[in-house]
Amino acid sequence: GAVVSQHPSWVICKSGTSVKIECRSLDFQATTMFWYRQFPKQSLMLMATSNEGSKATYEQGVEKDKFLINHASLTLSTLTVTSAHPEDSSFYICSAKGQGGYEQYFGPGTRLTVT
Amino acid sequence: QQQVKQSPQSLIVQKGGISIINCAYENTAFDYFPWYQQFPGKGPALLIAIRPDVSEKKEGRFTISFNKSAKQFSLHIMDSQPGDSATYFCAATLQAGTALIFGKGTTLSVSS
């Protein structure tokens, strides 16, 4: 099956600093990548959709200047949490979809803790 | 209309039993219905999926039943095992390339 990796798997940062999370499709070209956040015992909440070479489309209520998404290649998308605050602490998960078909494959997630 | 309603919220099943999780949707334009399995601290893993032109799909111990007229679909796990204990999410999408709309999840515990 298709493999998606995320790095780092967990990160602790201080309030006010920025953190970058990478999402890579390892064995397929991802024309579309999605970023989600998930709070404990809750479902996945879509943050944004990004297509390679295009600006990301953010969901309502998600601050695009705070959560910067870049999808510069067909195998890499990055999410940068700028000026992080404790309320940004969450589990961030990316998913990727190749050209054609419906299947979306998820990364293992990144646990962000802002102190 | 964009919601996918999932039930039950939690489920306890004896080892060897059948686990059944149900989902319902309103938007008849949805045309892809996957199920994901998620273990604590991990990302969701695609388990099985169905398109609306098929009423049932089986892969190993996992079966999706799809009722287009009722706008419902369900996941059946046969011969449930303790290793199946996880959170299961149903989802739906309008077309390829668009984001998945997830149900709220079902926490399954299989007791040995």
Side-chain angles (χ1 to χ4, degrees):
Chain A
V3 181
V4 177
S5 70
Q6 276 184 246
H7 178 79
S9 56
W10 60 270
V11 58
I12 302 173
C13 71
K14 293 190 175 182
S15 187
T17 62
S18 296
V19 173
K20 180 184 283 188
I21 302 169
E22 291 185 350
C23 176
R24 293 183 185 272
S25 56
L26 298 185
D27 52 2
F28 68 102
Q29 294 187 323
T31 52
T32 307
M33 286 186 168
F34 305 89
W35 287 94
Y36 298 82
R37 65 187 296 182
Q38 186 178 35
F39 293 105
K41 299 190 185 300
Q42 292 191 22
S43 189
L44 289 83
M45 184 182 79
L46 179 68
M47 299 176 66
T49 301
S50 74
N51 293 294
E52 186 263 339
S54 303
K55 287 186 178 180
T57 302
Y58 290 82
E59 293 300 298
Q60 193 173 8
V62 177
E63 299 175 59
K64 62 179 180 181
D65 294 330
K66 180 171 185 59
F67 298 99
L68 301 178
I69 292 171
N70 184 279
H71 191 169
S73 78
L74 285 171
T75 59
L76 173 64
S77 176
T78 60
L79 167 67
T80 301
V81 183
T82 62
S83 186
H85 287 97
E87 57 265 31
D88 298 325
S89 298
S90 189
F91 192 52
Y92 291 87
I93 316 173
C94 70
S95 73
K97 197 195 85 64
Q99 191 168 12
Y102 288 80
E103 293 80 9
Q104 292 185 26
Y105 299 95
F106 283 81
T110 296
R111 172 75 58 195
L112 170 63
T113 301
V114 184
T115 61
Chain B
Q1 237 198 356
Q2 290 293 84
Q3 286 185 341
V4 177
K5 295 183 179 179
Q6 184 172 347
S7 63
Q9 186 175 352
S10 62
L11 181 62
I12 300 174
V13 172
Q14 293 257 350
K15 180 181 176 182
I18 302 173
S19 304
I20 302 175
I21 305 170
N22 302 297
C23 283
Y25 63 97
E26 288 295 323
N27 192 338
T28 55
F30 287 145
D31 67 349
Y32 175 70
F33 304 87
W35 284 90
Y36 285 85
Q37 178 189 57
Q38 185 179 31
F39 292 103
K42 305 293 184 185
L46 179 61
L47 201 56
I48 187 172
I50 199 167
R51 299 286 309 279
D53 53 347
V54 176
S55 62
E56 185 175 282
K57 184 175 182 180
K58 183 176 181 179
E59 289 183 3
R61 295 186 294 111
F62 301 93
T63 300
I64 298 180
S65 296
F66 187 84
N67 187 328
K68 189 173 182 178
S69 61
K71 292 184 283 187
Q72 295 176 348
F73 58 109
S74 59
L75 175 69
H76 295 234
I77 305 174
M78 312 299 288
D79 187 27
S80 299
Q81 298 296 313
D84 297 330
S85 299
T87 300
Y88 293 81
F89 293 96
C90 64
T93 188
L94 288 169
Q95 61 187 45
T98 59
L100 294 166
I101 296 167
F102 282 92
K104 290 189 180 297
T106 297
T107 301
L108 170 66
S109 296
V110 181
S111 60
S112 54

